[in-house]
Amino acid sequence: MTTDHQDTDTAILDTDVLVVGAGPAGLMLATELRLGGAEVVVVDQRPGPTTESRASTLHARTMEILDSRGLLDELGTPPCEPRGHFGGVPLDLTLPSSHPGQWKVAQTRTEELLQRRAAELGADLRRRHQLLSLTAEDGVEAEAIGPYGPVRIRARYLVGCDGEDSTVRRLVRAPFPGRDAARELLRADVSGVEVADRRFQRLEHGLAIAATREGVTRVMVHEFGRPAAERGSAEPDFAEVTHVWKRVTGEDISQGTPLWVNAFGDANRQLAHYRHGRVLFAGDAAHRQMPSGGQALNLGVQDAFNLGWKLAAVVRGSAGEDLLDTYHSERHTVGRQVLANIRAQVELLLGGPEVEPARALLTELVALDGVRQHLAGMISGLGIRYDVEGPEIHSAAHPLLGRRLPDAWLEPAEGGARRRTTELLRTGRGLLLSLDGDGAPALRATAAPWSDRVAFVADRPVAGGPLSAGQTLLVRPDGYVAWAGSGAAGLARALTRWFGTAAADD
């Protein structure tokens, strides 16, 4: 990034990528862009990471992502709850993973963690900067107002990570089809009250949820048949929460001290396209949904993890712009599936007595392990399978193709201590993993022209783990398997598709 001053009033910044929004999605994107060698400027209106409770759940796939970048040590050992829910129906989320279940990490802690890593990697984070305008043709020119005056930023690409009321989306006039909120949950963090913990308790007049941690009680309440209010950017006051809570539960919590109050509705919208030329979107700027099951933050972080390495490769010139189209095709599909399961959960959660037969049936179905695994895979992100080969992945394809690389122990061929597959992803490069222990010469020769982008590792899988000896896996920087085989057939084509044209010999 370069800075100059063409006049005395406006600062000029030049960078590869401008990221608008420093929430979890924007900060994760900044770390991945820097890891991939792209210059990045991040602008955000807020003075620092959120101080509100907001999202507090990291699902298994997000924990795996943080692990693959060496970020988990800073989190310590947060509380883990193996039991989640689908529309308020209890659901065991335990699936094969290094971090099964759901992990309780406050959003402010997640943002602090990602902000620190982005800064360590050299991202230029500009707080108290409001985006005013942008144009995008051969490149992007954006204007923002900061604490010291106007700033003009010139970038090759811009990514809107600025939330459900995205300024970038408005400026680009990106179609955002879907539906507005018809129902809502009121939520408050309150000190000085004593109420029983409630886990999705359905009462005669509504739904009540309560949980107390470290002296603070979070209450959430919905009155059956009560429509969502027209709030604009305003939040409900505590009096409204106490009124609805009393109507539903009969309890008076008005003597408590509100620490945070908000409402979230069941609006359900998704951008028609995640890419508009040189402007892309990730996180809540790309999709708006009720945060049922704690999926919203996780969905946004996983958007950024998919996009970061691809956009960095395009900026570096090692891949063509068509690689960015795979971001839309992969993540729009995942987003559509998540929004659909959230719509189903909303009906089960906020519907009145008329949904009880459906809830009873679902309760019976989740006792079947196949159903449980399917629902848990959707909510946790562990069930994602990308189309990495063409029009569709056939059932006869390798079972790992398009799926994340399992966390597994390996025996290095050169000797030494065992290591995990996850550790091999921490550089942010691609990985060609030969599991025959010595690495076939044909594989080495085929992959050699991509050695600046793809590491070659020949290890033996530890017996009893999720990987089998004799196979070879090409793994993208985001941890998904792009090619699998026992020889080199098709490997060069896969390397070209995901890592660009082979480097020329000197």
Side-chain angles (χ1 to χ4, degrees), residues 86-116:
F86 189 91
V89 175
L91 178 68
D92 182 358
L93 294 174
T94 305
L95 292 173
S97 169
S98 57
H99 295 84
Q102 53 183 354
W103 300 75
K104 296 303 177 182
V105 180
Q107 182 170 333
T108 184
R109 184 73 185 92
T110 302
E111 289 189 17
E112 290 169 350
L113 175 71
L114 293 174
Q115 177 176 302
R116 186 156 45 250

Side-chain angles (χ1 to χ4, degrees), residues 316-353:
R316 290 196 319 266
S318 61
E321 286 202 3
D322 57 342
L323 185 61
L324 296 180
D325 294 330
T326 70
Y327 167 65
H328 167 80
S329 62
E330 292 179 349
R331 294 307 298 174
H332 192 274
T333 299
V334 171
R336 183 175 67 248
Q337 293 167 346
V338 170
L339 265 63
N341 90 53
I342 287 176
R343 285 198 302 272
Q345 292 195 64
V346 167
E347 295 303 319
L348 294 167
L349 269 175
L350 305 187

Side-chain angles (χ1 to χ4, degrees), residues 43 61 92 118 126 156 195-196 208 236 247 278-279 298 315-316 319 356 371 378 430 435 466:
V43 297
R61 180 57 192 148
D92 182 358
R126 307 258 171 157
R156 295 175 62 185
V195 297
R247 285 174 61 88
R278 291 184 175 269
V279 178
N298 293 271
V315 164
R316 290 196 319 266
E356 290 303 328
V371 175
M378 285 196 306
L435 295 169

